[in-house]
């Protein structure tokens, strides 16, 4: 095995995407790299972790991401299989193309897998959205976050508290740079193009008049919430009770749909208060979120997007790695107790929900900060003055 990957002066920065939440983070970064003078050359690698057209192609179009230069087509599998398969297929790509750096985002299995391959080949790893911690190691994403940050050379953070988390884990302070939230760059750039909720419902065959008096939006996909019938069943029942007050639009993740089918629970989502949609495009989701009276979710990114949009968010989890959305934003942790979920939703409906303010640097310019910083970092490294 070769120890080093050749990294000639014109080698690209390899940008990795694998799963849905990566796309909205990497799209503005690639644009900002292209706009720099001189531009930073990139190579876009899709690992194929998400592969359904609804989980990939549609979002690429919406976000104006170029077709990936390389698709590793790993598909689904256990965590070990998926992570190992990404690593196995990514290494020859890195060897063939060389790279000045490998840029990974977020906390999905593809993030860790590609970071690990790069680090072992002595290629600098750049981690976007570093330092977020739920302190819950039962979450696969938490393992991915902690390990990726340990081997990253440049760590870009979205909120100031992330730096403290990283320092506690022994990360050298000069590696950490607070740049703000690139996902919010995508949100701000695309909000004017968001699809009106009525249009998304009509496209799925629903009478859009059903949400004329307002709607709530629901997303659920986290394994801890959807992989066991004794957890998922009561959550659905709580949602049905909320649906009696406010029609709930549910954008159903493939994992959740498959589980409902397996548990014989598909009929429970036929409740009159529910409007079940397939996974939505990015512009549809923006419209559905921006127009919602409240959002109920277990997603990480949606906690941030609702804060940026000023829409109350009830998070069906016991913890969050994004505390700023609670401290400054519109997010409330409600857990998964059905009574607590219903009580919080009705209180938000009656009281108008939590108001928040825009966190620092969630201003649509985070990707430009990354581009400027990384260009300088690479130049300093070439001259041997980066100190890393
Ligand atoms: C992954 C991420 C999670 C992120 C989520 C967003 C990890 C550990 N998890 O979870 O952090 O919030 O993406 O969606 O990386 N499937 C399809 N079509 C697809 C992709 C998946 O049908 O295009 C089904 C498969 O049956 C698969 C299941 O969904 O087994 C789960 O997909 P997977 O990529 O393993 O994780 P997610 O639950 O999507």
């Amino acid at each position: 095995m070769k120890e080093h990957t050749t990294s000639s002066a014109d080698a690209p920065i390899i940008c990795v995407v694998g799963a849905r939440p990566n796309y909205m983070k990497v799209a503005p970064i690639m644009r900002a790299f292209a706009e720099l003078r001189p531009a930073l050359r990139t190579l876009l690698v899709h690992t194929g972790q998400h592969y359904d057209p609804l989980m990939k192609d549609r979002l690429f179009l919406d976000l104006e991401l170029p077709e990936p230069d390389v698709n590793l087509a790993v598909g689904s599998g256990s965590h070990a299989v998926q992570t190992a398969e990404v690593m196995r297929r990514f290494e020859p790509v890195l060897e063939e193309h060389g790279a000045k750096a490998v840029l990974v985002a977020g906390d999905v299995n593809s993030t860790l897998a590609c970071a690990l391959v790069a680090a072992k080949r002595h290629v600098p790893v750049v981690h976007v959205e570093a330092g977020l911690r739920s302190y819950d190691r039962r979450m696969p994403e938490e393992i991915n976050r902690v390990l990726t940050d340990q081997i990253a050379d440049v760590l870009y953070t979205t909120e100031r508290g992330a730096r403290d988390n990283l320092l506690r884990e022994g990360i050298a302070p000069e590696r950490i740079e607070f740049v703000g939230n690139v996902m919010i760059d995508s949100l701000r750039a695309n909000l004017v193009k968001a699809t009106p909720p009525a249009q998304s419902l009509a496209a799925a065959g629903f009478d859009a008049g059903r949400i004329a008096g307002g709607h709530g939006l629901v997303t659920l996909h986290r394994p801890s919430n959807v992989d066991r019938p004794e957890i998922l069943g009561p959550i659905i029942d709580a949602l049905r009770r909320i649906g009696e007050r406010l029609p709930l639009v549910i954008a159903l993740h493939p994992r959740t749909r498959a589980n409902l089918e397996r548990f014989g629970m598909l009929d429970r989502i036929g409740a009159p208060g529910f409007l079940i949609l397939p996974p939505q495009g990015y512009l549809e989701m923006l419209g559905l979120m921006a127009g919602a009276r409240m959002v109920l979710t277990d997603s990480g990114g949606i906690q941030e997007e609702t804060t940026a949009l000023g829409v109350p968010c009830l998070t069906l989890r016991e913890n969050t790695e994004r505390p700023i959305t609670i401290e400054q934003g519109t997010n409330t942790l409600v857990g998964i107790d059905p009574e607590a979920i219903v009580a919080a939703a009705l209180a938000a409906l009656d009281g108008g929900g939590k108001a928040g303010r825009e966190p620092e640097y969630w201003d649509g310019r985070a990707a430009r900060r990354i581009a400027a910083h990384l260009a300088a970092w690479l130049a300093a490294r070439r001259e041997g003055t980066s100190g890393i």
Side-chain angles (χ1 to χ4, degrees), residues 21 49-52 55 76 79 108-109 141 221 253-255:
Q49 175 172 347
H50 282 174
Y51 45 87
D52 280 353
M55 301 290 280
S76 300
H79 285 273
V108 302
N109 288 340
E141 293 85 354
H221 75 280
H253 188 283
R255 170 192 284 276

Side-chain angles (χ1 to χ4, degrees), residues 232-242 268 274 338 342:
L232 182 57
I235 292 179
I236 299 285
D237 291 339
L239 295 175
R240 280 163 70 134
R241 285 164 63 194
I242 300 164
R268 290 208 217 179
F274 288 169
V342 174

